[in-house]
Amino acid sequence: MKYISTRGEAPVLEFGDVLLAGMATDGGLYVPDEWPAQPSLPVGATYAEMATALMAPYVSPSLGEDVFGTMVAEAYATFGHPDVCPVREIDDGLFLLELFWGPTIAFKDVALQLVGRLFDHELTARGERATIVVATSGDTGSAAIEACRGRASLDIVVLHPAGRVSDVQRKQMTTVHEPNVHNVAVDGTFDDCQDLVKAMFADTAFRSDVRLSAMNSINWARVMAQVVYYVTAARTVGAGDPVAYSVPTGNFGNVFAGWVARRTGTPISQLVVGSNSNDILTRWLATGVMEQTGVHPTISPSMDIQVSSNAERLLFELYERNPLVLADRMTEFRAEGRVETGDTRLATVTEVFDGASVDDDATRAEIRRTHDRTGVVVDPHTAVGVAAARAARRDRDVPMVCLATAHPAKFPDAVEAAIGIRPELPAHLADLFDREESYDNLPGDLATLQAYVKAKITS
Ligand SMILES: *Cc1c(COP(=O)(O)O)cnc(C)c1O
């Protein structure tokens, strides 16, 4: 498998290099040069075995199936459920795909537990070290820290927007006291943090100086690992017949993985993009205009974004993989904060994608409604997906699988406000609030942050 950049100006790479590069040198995102057909999966296989088989084409020839299979097995052994990503019916034809059984109780563990191991393997094989810099709106940070902590080949610096992540989210990041873990509360929004990370990557001298690398959702390996559960859940629920998915969406990495599953052979009839009131994507699906506005803080903070980076991968497909057109469009979007994709092009997207935006009141109402009807307690992100599914479902005879992206105990205040029940943290996190925190407060200024990174890392 070879990988190409969506902007067409970066070198064509194999998996190992794509993994470590994160973003392409031309500012684009790496995608496979061709979509492979899914291999047939053995009956009775475990999640890890299916994951190994499904991802094998993407990691070849960088990684052999034995070495890769061991890493996959180790990654998913950290999960607290034997099915890893279990699926259960909560209402008539409505399913929850639970993606929160990993160490940080949110779906980003599914990709990052594997990606941390892949990084360590690849760097150790090369005799190299890397610095991971991550911008987080909450969940990526702790999941990336759990993926990197104590690994000899890595330093990790995590930028979170000060005061804009939940207490549980912050403590999951700042109570990890490993010498290779560095947390920064940045004065600004998540998009400011993300822009700072992008600016660090754009500074080629700095980038090579600290051997910068990214585990953000732009990293292809993350998308790849997320494709797996769309395939396994469709088999469980649909047994070969079409299924629909509803996905609480921020950076578009998760739902894009659903598109890849469909593109490579899984029968998926509909992908519902659920957004909170940061609704750039659902407005785009409705109007064909992708236009950024300010970020509004919501009770589903992991989706408080202004720009959905992974949408570039879908736009690349929309422009028939023409990197010149795409690069033009992305430049236009960057300059004007707005880009129009046109009716006929949009039709190829809306053939499978629908969108629904759910504000905080409707999110709380959905937490209540789901609890009243089914007895199940969902977190606010999951509730956005469930409400979007109810609003945008096309065919009641097709099973609808809602992605449960976080454990409700990760957002106890919002859940308690909705149903008067304060969900408890699972046993491995029960003493989280007794653990000591450490992090640095810094302004959202590039030079300051670059100096900080240089000072903190092991060379
Ligand atoms: C990151 C995250 C999302 C959004 O996923 P994207 O891949 O960014 O679209 C949704 N819910 C939770 C709980 C998350 O952590």
Side-chain angles (χ1 to χ4, degrees):
M1 169 94 49
K2 300 266 189 235
Y3 288 87
I4 54 173
S5 164
T6 50
R7 311 239 180 136
E9 304 275 344
V12 173
L13 300 178
E14 288 179 357
F15 179 78
D17 295 311
V18 167
L19 173 77
L20 298 184
M23 189 183 287
T25 49
D26 58 4
L29 307 189
Y30 275 108
V31 288
D33 69 341
E34 272 176 41
W35 294 110
Q38 282 170 22
S40 57
L41 297 174
V43 180
T46 64
Y47 184 88
E49 287 162 353
M50 290 191 283
T52 303
L54 286 166
M55 291 187 277
Y58 295 103
V59 302
S60 159
S62 299
L63 288 168
E65 215 162 317
D66 281 2
V67 173
F68 181 57
T70 304
M71 280 186 271
V72 173
E74 283 174 12
Y76 296 123
T78 67
F79 278 57
H81 195 288
D83 294 342
V84 182
C85 300
V87 54
R88 61 166 168 156
E89 189 164 14
I90 60 163
D91 209 341
D92 213 10
L94 190 74
F95 294 78
L96 278 191
L97 171 55
E98 294 181 344
L99 303 176
F100 52 68
W101 289 89
T104 72
I105 62 175
F107 98 98
K108 293 188 173 67
D109 290 327
V110 180
L112 283 167
Q113 281 298 307
L114 177 62
V115 168
R117 288 171 169 80
L118 287 168
F119 263 79
D120 203 30
H121 174 85
E122 196 63 34
L123 289 166
T124 306
R126 296 172 187 217
E128 292 174 10
R129 295 184 51 83
T131 303
I132 306 293
V133 180
V134 174
T136 185
S137 56
D139 289 335
T140 306
S142 56
I145 287 169
E146 284 301 327
C148 296
R149 64 185 296 172
R151 296 196 188 279
S153 60
L154 293 168
D155 277 291
I156 178 163
V157 180
V158 176
L159 311 183
H160 72 262
R164 291 178 192 245
V165 300
S166 79
D167 288 348
V168 176
Q169 286 179 318
R170 193 190 63 252
K171 288 194 183 258
Q172 281 186 305
M173 297 191 278
T174 60
T175 59
V176 176
H177 307 289
E178 302 272 357
N180 72 332
V181 173
H182 315 286
N183 278 288
V184 185
V186 174
D187 207 1
T189 64
F190 166 62
D191 285 305
D192 295 332
C193 295
Q194 189 160 258
D195 283 345
L196 285 160
V197 172
K198 282 186 182 165
M200 288 190 206
F201 273 91
D203 181 340
T204 43
F206 177 78
R207 180 179 172 152
S208 65
D209 202 14
V210 304
R211 296 167 308 275
L212 205 58
S213 208
M215 280 187 188
N216 264 5
S217 69
I218 54 168
N219 194 304
W220 166 256
R222 294 220 2 217
V223 176
M224 171 186 85
Q226 291 165 185
V227 175
V228 174
Y229 48 72
Y230 285 93
V231 180
T232 59
R235 279 162 61 93
T236 305
V237 169
D241 289 333
V243 297
Y245 283 99
S246 181
V247 187
T249 296
N251 258 321
F252 204 73
N254 198 0
V255 74
F256 182 72
W259 183 90
V260 174
R262 180 176 187 263
R263 178 68 183 76
T264 56
T266 298
I268 295 173
S269 59
Q270 187 187 11
L271 289 164
V272 179
V273 174
S275 68
N276 61 26
S277 44
N278 298 286
D279 59 352
I280 181 167
L281 288 169
T282 48
R283 278 184 288 118
W284 173 56
L285 290 169
T287 64
V289 178
M290 198 178 282
E291 183 168 26
Q292 66 189 74
T293 54
V295 185
H296 315 283
T298 71
I299 59 169
S300 46
S302 298
M303 300 165 15
D304 289 352
I305 49 89
Q306 176 171 342
V307 178
S308 300
S309 330
N310 263 297
E312 177 161 344
R313 289 193 163 105
L314 184 66
L315 288 173
F316 183 61
E317 302 291 336
L318 194 68
Y319 291 113
E320 285 137 2
R321 301 196 136 216
N322 184 331
L324 298 176
V325 178
L326 196 266
D328 263 6
R329 285 309 157 92
M330 297 314 295
T331 308
E332 184 185 334
F333 182 62
R334 207 66 197 153
E336 290 162 32
R338 179 182 199 282
V339 68
E340 233 178 288
T341 57
D343 285 349
T344 41
R345 292 191 187 280
L346 194 68
T348 66
V349 173
T350 52
E351 194 186 304
V352 61
F353 284 99
D354 285 291
S357 144
V358 181
D359 68 15
D360 281 355
D361 283 341
T363 303
R364 278 184 288 262
E366 186 58 61
I367 295 173
R368 224 162 15 244
R369 179 189 159 128
T370 297
H371 184 250
D372 289 349
R373 276 180 70 102
T374 69
V376 175
V377 178
V378 292
D379 99 288
H381 303 78
T382 305
V384 166
V386 174
R390 294 194 200 277
R393 192 171 183 182
R394 287 183 194 169
D395 184 346
R396 308 212 68 81
D397 294 331
V398 173
M400 171 59 81
V401 181
C402 299
L403 274 56
T405 52
H407 189 289
K410 200 147 184 174
F411 302 94
D413 297 338
V415 173
E416 189 172 18
I419 56 173
I421 296 170
R422 197 164 178 87
E424 276 180 31
L425 285 164
H428 75 279
L429 292 173
D431 67 342
L432 184 66
F433 280 81
D434 304 328
R435 299 180 197 166
E436 199 180 315
E437 287 189 77
S438 69
Y439 59 96
D440 296 297
N441 277 292
L442 292 175
D445 166 66
L446 182 61
T448 307
L449 285 159
Q450 286 180 324
Y452 176 88
V453 173
K454 281 193 186 175
K456 289 289 178 182
I457 63 171
T458 319
S459 25

